[in-house]
Amino acid sequence: MPTEQITIETARGYELAGSLELPTGLVRGAALFAHCFTCTKQSKAAVEVTRALARQGIACLRFDFTGLGGSGGDFGRAGFASDVEDLVVSANHLCERFGGQILLIGHSLGGAAVLAAADMIGRDRVAAIATIGAPADVPHVLGNIKGDLDAIERDGSGEVTIGGRAFHLSREFLDKTRAIDLPAEVARLKLPILIAHSPTDGTVGIENASQLFEAARHPKSFISLAGADHLLTNVEDAHFVADMIAAWGARYIPMRQDWPLPEKGVVVCSGNGKFGTEVHTPSHRFVADEPRSYGGDDTGPTPYDLLLAALGTCTAMTMKMYADRKGLPFEGARVAVTHERDHGKDCDHCEDEGSQVQALHRTITLLGDDLSAEQRDKLIEIADKCPVHRTLEGHLHIHTVHED
């Protein structure tokens, strides 16, 4: 996905570092992702979920909370309340840029934060909320801190270790983290909620999901991430939850009705990234791109891929139509097509000496053991008569007009 690096200024005077994953084509909506406790925007869950949403046409922002990753501020003094403030300012940034309502998505403590931030962002700006492995009891995260919390309460600050990393925490951090009653916050929400949790989560137990689900109002949904660990370190688990949230979220950010679906032919719109484009037919949409080796983002087939696919698919369809009409024991075909830019073996088609001749090489494998040799020969003959084949070998003229 095309990724834009952005910074968001906070009311406290420092900047949050964010990565905005953009769809290759047009933008249908926007989403905000909150990472887990002491993680960063580069966590596996953050990257996979935001990119899965971008593939669905939803621009998705992941950012580093105060004092983490590339963001400014002091993590040791921030606490949960600061995470909520970061989410509000980031959500406002997204809404101002893209308009309309956004999805809120949070992993672990980030999930608790999006639930707590929703009302502050405003129900007119939030379409729905999804959480992954979120705790129902926010102070629960303090149990993951290795250090003398009593000494911090007494002295005002102290050194601790979280996830193997050293941090300097203040009494203010502990107070802010203990102050939230998340189930009560969830009960007040009147928004669609999706709760994803693993019954084998050894960090935040599945009972947390039960408490949040019980507190939430309908419409509410639950997805079991059976076998996954808390941080979604298995990429297959990260892909699964990302695709589930993307599919669920599309229900609440519906396809824009003003997209250029033509009555006939196709419309191609330049998109995000260097080469990415979006193709619209009367009833479908998909993206095309160039590979990374050519400077693209590799988010879709190349223009030549589409050209070869046109010949291959038309060939297979034409043979199937003929076989059905004639009642042949035809079970399908595999059609492989490649492109050769400088075809020098056979220059019978050259009109001028030295001109470049390009060629498409098509290999057809017929499926069906009961086909006779005569039937196979006829099907290959029919393949050469497919409409796209005739168009490519005919005298094709391309007429271009300019419209303001």
Side-chain angles (χ1 to χ4, degrees):
M1 295 294 107
T3 305
E4 180 182 330
Q5 303 303 325
I6 65 173
T7 57
I8 301 169
E9 187 172 350
T10 69
R12 296 177 183 269
Y14 54 81
E15 293 183 336
L16 302 176
S19 295
L20 180 63
E21 298 291 347
L22 291 163
T24 295
L26 302 180
V27 176
R28 67 188 290 181
L32 179 62
F33 186 95
H35 62 70
C36 55
F37 187 45
T38 73
C39 293
T40 70
K41 65 180 183 295
Q42 295 305 114
S43 72
K44 189 166 294 184
V47 173
E48 294 298 336
V49 171
T50 53
R51 290 181 177 174
L53 286 164
R55 286 193 291 271
Q56 299 292 328
I58 300 172
C60 197
L61 172 64
R62 47 190 167 90
F63 70 96
D64 293 326
F65 280 121
T66 294
L68 295 172
S71 291
D74 183 359
F75 171 82
R77 301 188 64 84
F80 186 76
S82 177
D83 291 350
V84 173
E85 291 176 5
D86 292 347
L87 281 166
V88 173
V89 69
S90 299
N92 289 337
H93 176 91
L94 272 183
C95 290
E96 289 167 9
R97 175 163 175 174
F98 295 106
Q101 294 179 306
I102 64 173
L103 296 177
L104 295 181
I105 306 157
H107 180 204
S108 189
L109 189 62
V114 297
L115 291 170
D119 264 345
M120 295 178 65
I121 295 169
R123 293 174 184 171
D124 60 327
R125 288 192 160 190
V126 180
I129 304 170
T131 66
I132 306 167
D137 178 19
V138 173
H140 164 87
V141 301
L142 299 180
N144 298 322
I145 298 175
K146 294 183 179 181
D148 191 344
L149 301 189
D150 290 337
I152 294 176
E153 293 277 12
R154 182 185 66 247
D155 301 333
S157 64
E159 301 297 324
V160 299
T161 301
I162 308 173
R165 298 165 58 195
F167 291 95
H168 186 85
L169 292 191
S170 67
R171 182 192 298 124
E172 181 183 6
F173 180 99
L174 301 180
D175 291 342
K176 288 181 177 179
T177 303
R178 288 170 175 152
I180 185 72
D181 181 357
L182 193 61
E185 294 285 340
V186 172
R188 285 194 290 270
L189 294 177
K190 296 180 180 179
L191 292 166
I193 294 178
L194 171 67
I195 297 171
H197 212 111
S198 171
T200 54
D201 189 330
T203 303
V204 179
I206 189 65
E207 67 277 4
N208 287 269
S210 299
Q211 293 175 45
L212 292 175
F213 192 84
E214 183 66 26
R217 300 184 181 188
H218 284 290
K220 55 185 177 181
S221 305
F222 176 77
I223 294 176
S224 176
L225 306 178
D229 60 25
H230 182 66
L231 293 179
L232 303 179
T233 54
N234 185 327
V235 68
E236 293 181 356
D237 294 327
H239 284 166
F240 172 74
V241 71
D243 289 341
M244 290 299 100
I245 290 176
W248 170 83
R251 181 178 182 89
Y252 300 104
I253 300 184
M255 185 75 72
R256 284 171 38 177
Q257 297 301 310
D258 60 343
W259 281 19
L261 300 178
E263 293 185 2
K264 61 180 181 179
V266 301
V267 172
V268 177
C269 304
S270 295
N272 300 297
K274 188 173 182 180
F275 297 119
T277 59
E278 186 161 295
V279 183
H280 295 260
T281 76
S283 55
H284 298 281
R285 52 175 284 272
F286 56 93
V287 299
D289 204 343
E290 290 287 356
R292 295 187 186 280
S293 58
Y294 278 71
D297 293 296
D298 198 25
T299 57
T302 70
Y304 273 102
D305 289 339
L306 297 175
L307 174 66
L308 302 185
L311 177 60
T313 54
C314 189
T315 298
M317 292 176 188
T318 301
M319 289 190 295
K320 183 65 166 61
M321 291 172 61
Y322 176 82
D324 287 351
R325 189 168 63 249
K326 296 296 184 179
L328 302 183
F330 179 63
E331 298 177 7
R334 294 192 185 95
V335 183
V337 188
T338 58
H339 173 227
E340 184 183 359
R341 293 182 181 274
D342 189 4
H343 182 61
K345 295 180 181 178
D346 182 1
C347 209
D348 292 344
H349 302 294
C350 297
E351 295 182 0
D352 301 314
E353 186 176 352
S355 65
Q356 184 186 55
V357 175
Q358 301 190 47
L360 301 183
H361 297 277
R362 179 176 55 186
T363 301
I364 301 173
T365 302
L366 299 177
L367 306 179
D369 294 337
D370 295 332
L371 286 170
S372 66
E374 182 180 357
Q375 289 170 335
R376 290 175 179 274
D377 290 343
K378 188 62 178 178
L379 284 168
I380 296 301
E381 178 185 334
I382 291 298
D384 284 339
K385 297 180 180 179
C386 86
V388 170
H389 185 136
R390 289 181 169 181
T391 298
L392 293 173
E393 285 201 331
H395 295 286
L396 181 63
H397 293 261
I398 300 174
H399 302 279
T400 301
V401 296
H402 174 261
E403 289 187 356
D404 294 326

